[in-house]
Structures are given as structure tokens and as C-alpha cells.
Amino acid sequence: MDRLFSKGTLLVFSIMLLVLGCTFLLRGCNSEREVKANVFPKEVELGSPVMYRDSTENVKELIWEFGNGDFSTDHKGTYTYTAPGNYKVRVKADGKAQEFVVKVVQKKKTAEKKFVRIVAPKTAYVGEGVTFIADGDATDWQWKFGETGKVDSYEQNVIYHYDSIGNYKVRLISGNMEYPVFHDIKVVSPSVTRDTTNPFDKLRQFLQNIVDCKGSYDNNYRGALKFLNNNERLLVVVNNNNENDFYSYCHGLHITGKQHGTYIDMAIPEKEGGRVKRLLVSQRTSN
């Protein structure tokens, strides 16, 4: 019986089957292939670039869509949005897609730098503790109070005692200031009435009244509390060491202050973000 197919026909038929099998195999692999792409960062400030990258292998057709009508056919690059909002970013690789959401937010406003100024009274008594406050954004403070001719302190807030009457020019400078700032103070005899312009001197006086049992405790306590956003639990740091809440601190002054001859030299509310963070107190006792 003659063979149905010759050897040549069988060879051709085998090659055709092999080609068809490879075609179906490649199509199957391609249909299961995942798109490998990424967008970073997912949240960005307006004006800052977003990075995009596709790592899918053997891609013939690629397109990035940025959710606002713009597109790119590059495998990687950066894109900058011109308006805030939530954008759906999509990449298509040979018909298969992957999506991302990018949030574009307004730039945060940077707080304006506060210029340094000296807060201090214009007159003072010989031998009294005078409070000098460096108010502003700076570091590495250097104070010259005009009496010694040298740097007298490297602290931000200082208590200084003048030994002689006279007119003095106080000089303050820091590491990031190009020019120093100055303050004129007149030091007089204790018999001369002075004009105090220290905005925190009234707070200090309320606390001193509590020590001396001068006037109503409640009136002095409430008066001082107004300088501190009425926060009775505010942290009080005494002489850079002892810490207590404001309510307990004042209660202690009321009970033991006069017995120990306590004198309040300085009371400065330290602020952060517009609110009082803590109260810095400098005080001394006579026994």
C-alpha cells in the first residue's frame, strides 16, 4: 500500500506545526506578562518633578498618560505638574495598562524670618538685676553691656547687674547676623524713679507679689496666668534646673516664698509656633 504522505510533505507539515506552536506559545507568554512600571513620589509639592519609569521587557508600544492630557512615549523621565490636584497616571505597554494616583499639593509657605531685637528697660538701678531678652531668629548670642568693654554673656536671655551709674550702649550680635543691634540704657541711683519698658516685668511683678503676700493671691495668680494663655499646667523651669507646672510653682511661692526671702529676677514666656511652650524663671533667695 502506497504511503499517504511523502517524506517531503511530512517535513513541511511538521515545520508548519512547529511555527504555529511557537506562535501560540509566544502569545500566551505575552498575555501573562505584567507591566513593570513605577511613579515616584506619589505626593509632591507643586513645581517639583515626578519621576516615572517602565522596566517591562520587550515592549514594542509604550505610552505614559499623566491625567491632564499630557503624555510621553519615553520609557523613563520626569514630569512637572502646573496645578495642584489628584492625577491618575497610566502607562500602557503593548496594550496592557498600569495606573497610579499622584497628589500634587501647594507649596508650604516658609515662615518669614524674625529680625533680632533687644527687649529691655530703658532705665535701671545700680546693683539691680536687669533682664535683657534677645527676641528673634538667630543663634550663638554675644552680649556686651557697655560696662566692661568685653563680651559679658553668650546666653539668649540674660540678667545683668550694673555697678555704676551712667548711660550705656548694649550691643548684641549672633553667628548669622551681619550687623549687631543696639539698645541704650540709663543706669541711675535707687533714689531716682525709672521708666521700665520690659513687657514681661509685669509678669515678674505678679510672681513677686505672690512671694511677698502683696495683694490678693488669686488676683496675682490670674494676672500672671494671662501671660501664659491661661495654661495652669504650663511647664515652669526655675534657674535652668527645677521644673514644675505653673499651678504648683505658684502654690509653692505662696507658701514658702517669703520665708526664704525669694526674689524673682526674671520671668520669660518661651514661645513656639505662636503659643507659650514653657516659662523660664530666674530667682534667688537671701538665706
Side-chain angles (χ1 to χ4, degrees), residues 148-174:
T148 64
K150 62 181 182 180
V151 176
D152 297 294
S153 178
Y154 297 94
E155 301 295 326
Q156 181 175 358
N157 303 315
V158 189
I159 296 174
Y160 185 79
H161 299 76
Y162 283 96
D163 294 326
S164 304
I165 62 173
N167 297 313
Y168 297 95
K169 186 174 288 293
V170 180
R171 178 181 183 272
L172 171 66
I173 194 168
S174 75

Side-chain angles (χ1 to χ4, degrees), residues 232-258:
E232 294 185 302
R233 298 303 174 188
L234 186 76
L235 179 67
V236 180
V237 181
V238 180
N239 296 335
N240 296 319
N241 187 12
N242 299 325
E243 298 181 359
N244 210 335
D245 63 90
F246 184 72
Y247 175 84
S248 301
Y249 169 69
C250 290
H251 188 66
L253 286 182
H254 182 56
I255 295 175
T256 64
K258 195 167 185 179

